[in-house]
């Protein structure tokens, strides 16, 4: 399978994951969306040196991955291109912040190193939570949840069509690169001289297809609302899940749980 | 059921693609729209769906084509696209099929009932939970038709329904079309299929109606067809020795 076909099948895999059944999948999309946004907000709000507190935040994605039956490894595999970028964000910190924070034997751990690690963890945890949301909720259900939050219909439609457009564009790229390679044997990729026309054609073709696709939606009654996204009413379970998660995140943020546990066991 | 009165349309404002077109289609009629490439077949379909707006008047099921009536008209008219990939945009056949009914206010249970009814009627129950990208071209075309039937339209428009199908799938589509009681307007270059499915044919050339009559008479008229860049259906050519 070539790279493009692989990318297409990965995109479809996400739809398949979102269609599976588990207690997390069954939750109301609005509750999952709120919990995810709150989780990310709490995670990024940790002070740069609060490594031990931040580590507690790993519990949410780990538990949720277990309950939803989605392997954590799959998350890291799917995010393999983004993770290095996220991790690279704090790489300069050790060179900028030399404040000594810890002494591990003869090694002095500086504030720069700790802040680099916390920054990386914040990024990784946020990505894991976002992945969990899209792997357990269809794009239509996410858009429906956003509409419930009174996000303008034009924005949610834009989000939905962008998602669909990725698939359409990938299909067009596949067709065009196949046609190109059949007439350019021995060449690797697209020659630089053809990039301009290739991109122009790609844009025109995928716009045509996206327009057809949108027409097909409109002709079947789509008006920016997501009535068709099968969302059960917000029930007690959803409320409990949201409340428990929010309380747990706040506790992890306000209290030094690792410190409390340490003092409880060690004295 | 459908009426065009002096309808004209031009994409660029100068050269008309459809010019002063008038015709009407009665309830339950099955009409073939034929003509060479660029004759205006797809434009007529788009005008009928309100995707394009031109001059003149269009009436569908007693409703005049205008902004107020458009949602009701679109609920009345189902459109089977030429490329089923553009029509089947949801992950599974089931999700695609409930898309229209749910948008038009049916509950999940009502929509599901409709989906089951249509799939049963077309003998496609095994497709219900299949992923759209994993079904064959023929299955996808049938699923696309099922998707439209789930909306229970009074009029069905089909753009090249037999394109890119193998003979067996093509025959299945033809047989299915023949079982549909709705008013049908089918645009196609497949004249054999038009002969099999339509009682009436409208022949277009450069946006104008050249002939409008029974399928039998128009599709047997070699001179007329060849004058309009078409040819006799294969089944009437008598090529086999």
């Amino acid at each position: 399978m070539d790279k493009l076909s692989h990318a297409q099948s990965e995109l479809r895999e996400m739809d398949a994951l979102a269609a599976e059944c588990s207690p997390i999948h069954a939750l109301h999309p609005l509750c999952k969306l709120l919990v995810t946004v709150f989780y990310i907000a709490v995670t990024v709000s940790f002070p740069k040196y609060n490594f031990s507190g931040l580590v507690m935040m790993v519990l949410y994605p780990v538990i949720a991955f277990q309950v939803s039956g989605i392997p954590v490894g799959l998350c890291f595999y799917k995010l393999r291109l983004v993770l290095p970028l996220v991790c690279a964000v704090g790489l300069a910190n050790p060179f900028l912040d030399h404040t000594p924070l810890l002494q591990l034997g003869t090694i002095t751990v500086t504030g720069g190193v700790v802040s680099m690690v916390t920054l990386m963890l914040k990024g990784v945890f946020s990505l894991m939570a976002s992945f969990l949301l899209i792997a357990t909720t269809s794009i239509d259900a996410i858009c429906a949840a956003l509409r419930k939050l009174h996000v303008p219909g034009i924005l949610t439609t834009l989000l939905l069509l962008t998602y669909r457009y990725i698939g359409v564009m990938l299909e067009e790229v596949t067709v065009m690169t196949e046609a190109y390679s059949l007439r350019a044997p021995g060449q690797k990729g697209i020659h630089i001289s053809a990039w301009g026309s290739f991109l122009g054609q790609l844009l025109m073709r995928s716009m045509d297809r996206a327009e057809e696709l949108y027409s097909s939606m409109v002709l079947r009654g789509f008006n920016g609302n997501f009535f068709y996204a099968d969302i059960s009413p917000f029930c007690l379970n959803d409320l409990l899940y949201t409340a428990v998660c929010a309380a747990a995140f706040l506790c992890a943020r306000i209290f030094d749980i690792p410190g409390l546990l340490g003092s409880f066991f060690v004295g | 059921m459908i009426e065009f009165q002096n309808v004209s349309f031009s994409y660029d404002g100068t050269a008309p693609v459809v010019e002063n077109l008038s015709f009407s289609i009665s309830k339950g009629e099955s009409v073939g729209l034929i003509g060479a490439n660029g004759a205006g077949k797809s434009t007529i379909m788009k005008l009928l769906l309100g995707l394009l707006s031109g001059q003149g008047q269009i009436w569908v099921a007693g409703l005049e084509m205008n902004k107020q009536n458009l949602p009701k008209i679109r609920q009345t008219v189902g459109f089977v696209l030429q490329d089923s990939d553009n029509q089947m945009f949801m992950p599974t056949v089931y999700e695609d099929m409930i898309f229209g009914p749910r948008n038009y206010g049916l509950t999940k249970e009502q929509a599901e009932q409709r989906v089951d009814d249509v799939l049963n009627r077309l003998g496609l129950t095994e497709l219900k939970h299949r992923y759209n990208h994993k079904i064959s071209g023929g299955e996808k075309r049938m699923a696309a038709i099922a998707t439209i039937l789930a909306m229970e339209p009074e009029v069905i428009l089909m753009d090249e329904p037999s394109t890119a199908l193998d003979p067996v799938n093509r025959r299945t589509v033809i047989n299915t079309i023949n079982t549909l009681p709705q008013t049908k307007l089918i645009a196609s270059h497949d004249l054999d299929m038009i002969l099999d499915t339509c009682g009436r044919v409208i022949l277009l050339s450069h946006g104008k109606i050249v002939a409008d009559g029974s399928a039998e008479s128009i599709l047997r008229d070699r001179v007329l067809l060849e004058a309009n860049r078409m040819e006799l259906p294969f089944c009437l050519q008598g090529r086999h020795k």
Side-chain angles (χ1 to χ4, degrees):
Chain A
M1 194 186 283
D2 62 48
K3 277 183 186 172
L4 289 167
S5 308
H6 192 248
Q8 271 175 283
S9 76
E10 280 202 34
L11 202 64
R12 284 163 182 158
E13 263 178 48
M14 292 306 294
D15 285 333
L17 278 179
E20 282 180 9
C21 293
S22 80
I24 301 284
H25 285 81
L27 288 166
H28 194 283
L30 183 58
C31 116
K32 284 186 271 185
L33 182 70
L34 290 175
V35 166
T36 305
V37 171
F38 191 60
Y39 173 83
I40 293 172
V42 170
T43 302
V44 296
S45 75
F46 271 85
K48 61 180 179 178
Y49 296 147
N50 192 351
F51 173 75
S52 59
L54 183 64
V55 167
M56 293 303 294
M57 296 302 285
V58 79
L59 288 176
Y60 166 69
V62 166
I63 294 171
F65 272 108
Q66 284 301 312
V67 176
S68 62
I70 295 168
V72 184
L74 183 70
C75 166
F76 287 110
Y77 176 72
K78 296 271 188 201
L79 298 173
R80 63 193 180 279
L81 293 178
V82 192
L83 280 171
L85 295 175
V86 168
C87 291
V89 171
L91 280 179
N93 286 20
F95 304 105
L96 302 173
D97 182 356
H98 299 285
T99 320
L101 276 191
L102 281 173
Q103 193 69 40
L104 296 173
T106 55
I107 302 167
T108 305
V109 180
T110 63
V113 171
V114 175
S115 65
M116 178 189 74
V117 174
T118 52
L119 207 57
M120 285 176 177
L121 286 181
K122 283 177 185 181
V124 172
F125 291 171
S126 302
L127 279 177
M128 285 172 80
S130 308
F131 178 83
L132 189 72
L133 174 70
I134 55 171
T136 57
T137 321
S138 69
I139 185 73
D140 307 281
I142 291 173
C143 290
L146 288 169
R147 286 293 290 140
K148 286 212 184 292
L149 290 174
H150 298 286
V151 173
I154 191 147
L155 290 182
T156 52
T157 305
L158 203 64
L159 176 67
L160 177 75
L161 291 181
T162 306
Y163 180 79
R164 300 233 187 281
Y165 190 74
I166 295 169
V168 168
M169 206 161 73
L170 277 173
E171 282 174 26
E172 291 301 328
V173 172
T174 309
V175 171
M176 286 175 67
T177 45
E178 275 173 9
Y180 181 91
S181 60
L182 286 171
R183 284 180 291 154
Q187 261 189 43
K188 271 193 174 179
I190 312 289
H191 191 266
I192 194 163
S193 61
W195 281 10
S197 55
F198 192 88
L199 278 176
Q201 279 296 316
L202 174 66
L203 188 69
M204 302 291 280
R205 289 166 63 121
S206 45
M207 269 175 69
D208 279 348
R209 278 204 59 191
E211 208 170 294
E212 279 253 302
L213 212 136
Y214 182 64
S215 296
S216 171
M217 291 172 74
V218 167
L219 292 174
R220 283 193 274 158
F222 180 72
N223 59 3
N225 291 309
F226 297 83
F227 303 117
Y228 61 89
D230 278 327
I231 300 172
S232 45
F234 206 88
C235 63
L236 188 65
N237 281 351
D238 303 311
L239 198 65
L240 274 175
Y241 178 81
T242 312
V244 168
C245 286
F249 301 158
L250 279 178
C251 283
R253 176 68 184 85
I254 295 167
F255 304 110
D256 179 17
I257 296 173
L260 289 172
L261 286 173
S263 58
F264 178 76
F265 287 113
V266 180
Chain B
M1 182 55 84
I2 297 171
E3 191 163 354
F4 272 54
Q5 284 179 0
N6 306 316
V7 176
S8 297
F9 176 79
S10 163
Y11 283 100
D12 57 6
T14 51
V17 183
V18 166
E19 199 175 354
N20 212 21
L21 207 68
S22 297
F23 65 87
S24 60
I25 296 173
S26 310
K27 192 173 181 178
E29 238 186 326
S30 185
V31 179
L33 206 53
I34 63 170
N37 291 331
K41 303 185 292 294
S42 299
T43 305
I44 289 175
M45 298 237 168
K46 286 181 179 172
L47 286 165
L48 197 44
L49 292 159
L51 293 173
L52 298 174
S53 64
Q55 294 163 328
Q57 286 179 309
I58 299 172
W59 297 76
V60 180
L63 298 167
E64 187 182 358
M65 180 70 69
N66 56 37
K67 212 172 178 180
Q68 287 76 40
N69 290 335
L70 199 54
K72 183 69 190 151
I73 288 175
R74 285 180 174 168
Q75 198 172 353
T76 309
V77 183
F79 183 39
V80 181
L81 274 73
Q82 180 176 356
D83 187 349
S84 304
D85 281 329
N86 293 343
Q87 183 148 356
M88 310 292 285
F89 48 78
M90 298 293 280
T92 65
V93 172
Y94 166 73
E95 286 168 277
D96 236 307
M97 286 185 73
I98 63 161
F99 182 88
R102 293 284 277 139
N103 278 329
Y104 285 121
L106 263 68
T107 63
K108 191 187 169 192
E109 290 71 28
Q110 288 169 327
E112 187 151 4
Q113 183 62 50
R114 257 199 206 180
V115 168
D116 288 337
D117 287 348
V118 171
L119 289 175
N120 272 330
R121 207 179 336 140
L122 300 183
L124 300 173
T125 42
E126 80 285 356
L127 287 187
K128 186 175 174 184
H129 294 295
R130 298 266 301 275
Y131 284 99
N132 283 328
H133 65 275
K134 287 188 175 169
I135 59 179
S136 70
E139 287 172 328
K140 203 175 276 183
R141 187 63 51 86
M142 288 301 292
I145 294 172
T147 295
I148 295 306
L149 291 181
M151 291 169 58
E152 297 190 345
E154 291 177 49
V155 179
I156 299 179
L157 308 185
M158 293 181 168
D159 194 2
E160 298 285 1
S162 61
T163 313
L165 294 181
D166 64 41
V168 172
N169 281 318
R170 178 179 166 278
R171 181 52 54 192
T172 308
V173 168
I174 289 172
N175 292 340
T176 304
I177 293 172
N178 284 334
T179 62
L180 304 176
Q182 286 91 343
T183 306
K184 295 176 288 271
L185 184 61
I186 303 170
S188 182
H189 293 296
D190 180 354
L191 300 188
D192 289 80
M193 185 212 60
I194 293 289
L195 195 61
D196 277 352
T197 54
C198 301
R200 178 181 157 197
V201 161
I202 296 175
L203 173 60
L204 295 166
S205 179
H206 300 104
K208 290 178 183 166
I209 295 178
V210 178
D212 181 353
S214 78
E216 278 289 323
S217 61
I218 291 178
L219 296 179
R220 283 179 186 279
D221 191 336
R222 183 191 295 267
V223 178
L224 174 70
L225 291 173
E226 288 181 356
N228 291 285
R229 298 179 59 199
M230 313 218 68
E231 58 180 20
L232 284 178
F234 290 116
C235 65
L236 300 179
Q237 286 184 4
R239 282 183 178 172
H240 40 272
K241 292 172 184 170

